[in-house]
Amino acid sequence: MTPALTRPIRWELIAQQYDQMIKYATAIRTRTASTEAILRRFTRNASHPTYAAMLEVGRGQKTIFVARYLRLRDLQLEIEGGLNVMESSNGANSVIAYGKGGESPRTGATSRRCSCCACGFCNRPWST
């Protein structure tokens, strides 16, 4: 088993790049720059300091989430419940769409509509 954190979060990098991160976030929020354009800029230079700082913020967010998850039983139950819903939905899909790889064996539009309706029907709670 590997440790959850392999190294400390580099808070000094976040502090140095804070203004730039706010600039990019504001540009996305105000739609003066698209997320795709900003990501293209970062992926051209993978060692971009602002990108590295954003990754560090993400590490901090993940760490906070894991700490909350381990502390709060209600959060654990909520997440487990959501995962169970998805598993049962995937199980229903494999019964409804029984072809190769869970795909419908028919390709017609009517067949696809029927499958979608059946999936929606299976995901609704039953009333008594």
Side-chain angles (χ1 to χ4, degrees):
M1 182 181 242
T2 60
L5 286 175
T6 55
R7 63 171 174 74
I9 295 169
R10 296 181 292 182
W11 296 107
E12 71 284 347
L13 179 61
I14 295 170
Q16 290 168 359
Q17 295 297 318
Y18 184 78
D19 290 338
Q20 288 296 313
M21 290 189 299
I22 296 299
K23 181 179 105 177
Y24 286 118
T26 303
I28 291 170
R29 189 177 52 81
T30 60
R31 299 177 192 255
T32 56
S34 71
T35 307
E36 293 81 14
I38 291 172
L39 286 174
R40 272 194 305 272
R41 178 179 294 182
F42 288 153
T43 54
R44 269 189 262 136
N45 180 9
S47 62
H48 195 289
T50 306
Y51 182 64
M54 287 179 180
L55 292 176
E56 290 300 312
V57 169
R59 287 173 55 91
Q61 288 176 324
K62 286 184 220 174
T63 303
I64 291 167
F65 175 79
V66 168
R68 282 187 60 229
Y69 178 82
L70 292 173
R71 190 185 71 215
L72 300 173
R73 185 66 182 147
D74 289 342
L75 180 60
Q76 294 170 12
L77 294 173
E78 180 183 343
I79 291 171
E80 185 178 328
L83 291 172
N84 288 339
V85 166
M86 288 308 299
E87 274 187 39
S88 65
S89 173
N90 289 338
N93 288 343
S94 67
V95 170
I96 294 166
Y98 52 86
K100 182 178 179 183
E103 298 172 2
S104 178
R106 293 180 216 103
T107 58
T110 304
S111 177
R112 284 193 299 272
R113 275 195 298 273
C114 288
S115 292
C116 288
C117 290
C119 287
F121 181 72
C122 289
N123 288 331
R124 289 196 177 94
W126 293 95
S127 59
T128 56

